[in-house]
Amino acid sequence: MTHQTIDFSVAPMMDWTDRHCRAFHRTLSHRARLYTEMVTAPAVLHGDRARLLGFSPQEHPVAVQLGGSEPAALAAAARICADFGYDEINLNVGCPSDRVQGGNFGACLMREPDLVGDCVAAMKAAVAIPVTVKCRIGVDEQDPEEALDALADAVVAAGVDGLIVHARKAWLKGLSPRENRDVPPLDYDRARRLKARLPQVPIALNGGIASLAQGRAELGPLDGMMLGRAAYQDPELLLAVDPELYGEAAPHEDAFAAVEAFEPYIAAHLEAGGRLSDVTRHMLGLFGGRRGSRIYRRRLSTEAIRPGAGLDVLRGAVDEVRRRTDAAAA
């Protein structure tokens, strides 16, 4: 039986998918493509690049998401990111925050497909790695059929290497960024119609996908799925990515083994002067639904933030779950 490979990635999420989150997620899946938080082109050009762009070699394959609307600045930023060793440059044409609108990037660029095409062309000319776009299906009163087709046609003409479609509109007037993640209705059919029209273009589905099974059921002709909050809030599901989507063994047999394998990374972070909570805040969703998971979360939430907190705090929290899991199985 041949195994159908489905491209899988974890969405870029502000304040969540930092380098520690990505290193943890990589412990759970060798194959998932990981994305940075969005970083603006001006920040890359003028900010602390080591802090903004630094990552661990173990994170590969890892993509950086850029925000911006000036082709020259994006090209220069893309070149810097490629030199850092990223595997892909992704342009944000989907974020609905007020800050994004003020800077003329993110979802408001759905109204300027030709400009987005110029941005992609400039980045493609600057780097040898893939350049992709993550977009919505439209904003505000736009017709999603016209808006998404116009955006897709412009970036395809510019040589884009793939599209990730968050299959809902962004309402820039009247909804908060949080509401824009849930309130506008999902329209997976719209993404599938785009793929039918552009069969040669790799297109992945994003938005509201709560599980691998749901993602597989919704893909149809689409090439991949991107999970955001589901993967962050229930990271254990990432252990199923390699076997279920790639036909390969998971990196570890269970979440307990994954945490043990991750300990050297945490120890190195602590040795460098970092705080335990920098890393463990991304691990709170692990063991969700298991006996002891509430105690695990509470111990990490209260004890990991204390000055000098070490690996014994994490081990103690994990042991609470392990003891109850073993007792339930006895």
Side-chain angles (χ1 to χ4, degrees):
M1 176 178 170
T2 58
H3 194 279
Q4 180 189 5
T5 299
I6 295 171
D7 188 68
F8 178 90
S9 57
V10 178
M13 292 174 280
M14 294 299 292
D15 300 320
W16 285 5
T17 51
D18 64 16
R19 61 185 302 174
H20 304 309
C21 174
R22 299 191 305 268
F24 173 52
H25 285 176
R26 178 59 67 222
T27 308
L28 302 168
S29 168
H30 291 314
R31 295 296 298 268
R33 182 177 292 104
L34 305 177
Y35 283 77
T36 69
E37 304 168 86
M38 181 189 70
V39 58
T40 67
V44 171
L45 296 179
H46 307 296
D48 182 345
R49 293 174 187 170
R51 180 181 63 82
L52 291 169
L53 299 176
F55 66 94
S56 304
Q58 71 195 64
E59 293 178 39
H60 291 291
V62 59
V64 60
Q65 186 181 65
L66 294 178
S69 59
E70 297 180 6
L74 282 165
R79 193 175 298 112
I80 291 167
C81 293
D83 288 344
F84 261 79
Y86 282 97
D87 301 298
E88 174 191 323
I89 309 291
N90 179 262
L91 180 63
N92 185 323
V93 189
C95 180
S97 77
D98 293 338
R99 184 170 69 89
V100 165
Q101 293 180 60
N104 191 34
F105 55 93
C108 62
L109 288 175
M110 292 296 299
R111 299 193 188 106
E112 300 186 66
D114 291 341
L115 175 57
V116 177
D118 291 342
C119 292
V120 169
M123 290 189 289
K124 285 288 294 178
V127 300
I129 60 176
V131 174
T132 62
V133 168
K134 186 172 187 289
C135 64
R136 295 283 183 128
I137 61 174
V139 295
D140 296 339
E141 302 298 337
Q142 282 187 318
D143 178 346
E145 297 299 320
E146 297 176 2
L148 185 57
D149 278 355
L151 188 284
D153 289 347
V155 298
V156 168
V160 78
D161 293 289
L163 283 167
I164 303 156
V165 179
H166 184 160
R168 65 171 110 230
K169 274 189 173 185
W171 286 90
L172 305 179
K173 300 174 183 176
L175 291 181
S176 69
R178 179 183 295 273
E179 290 169 330
N180 262 301
R181 291 195 291 267
D182 295 304
V183 174
L186 287 159
D187 188 354
Y188 296 143
D189 279 340
R190 180 64 192 93
R192 290 189 285 262
R193 287 195 299 275
L194 180 68
K195 178 63 181 179
R197 195 174 73 84
L198 299 171
Q200 77 284 8
V201 179
I203 300 175
L205 184 67
N206 172 238
I209 303 173
S211 67
L212 300 186
Q214 182 197 357
R216 294 184 80 150
E218 294 289 356
L219 281 187
L222 294 163
D223 303 285
M225 67 176 91
M226 173 181 274
L227 271 65
R229 283 168 291 167
Y232 187 88
Q233 294 167 350
D234 180 19
E236 200 164 352
L237 73 77
L238 295 174
L239 279 172
V241 167
D242 294 9
E244 291 190 17
L245 302 185
Y246 295 90
E248 301 173 2
H252 304 285
E253 63 178 352
D254 59 22
F256 296 109
V259 172
E260 289 183 15
F262 193 46
E263 283 192 5
Y265 177 92
I266 301 174
H269 175 66
L270 296 175
E271 182 68 22
R275 298 175 301 173
L276 181 66
S277 60
D278 294 339
V279 183
T280 57
R281 73 185 186 95
H282 302 300
M283 303 171 68
L284 295 176
L286 203 62
F287 307 117
R290 293 176 186 251
R291 295 172 184 265
S293 59
R294 287 186 180 179
I295 299 173
Y296 165 84
R297 288 195 301 273
R298 184 169 68 245
R299 288 192 63 172
L300 286 187
S301 297
T302 58
E303 297 177 25
I305 61 174
R306 294 173 182 167
L311 276 172
D312 57 307
V313 171
L314 174 62
R315 290 169 179 157
V318 172
D319 283 344
E320 296 283 0
V321 182
R322 194 193 306 270
R323 282 198 298 269
R324 285 163 174 79
T325 298
D326 291 345

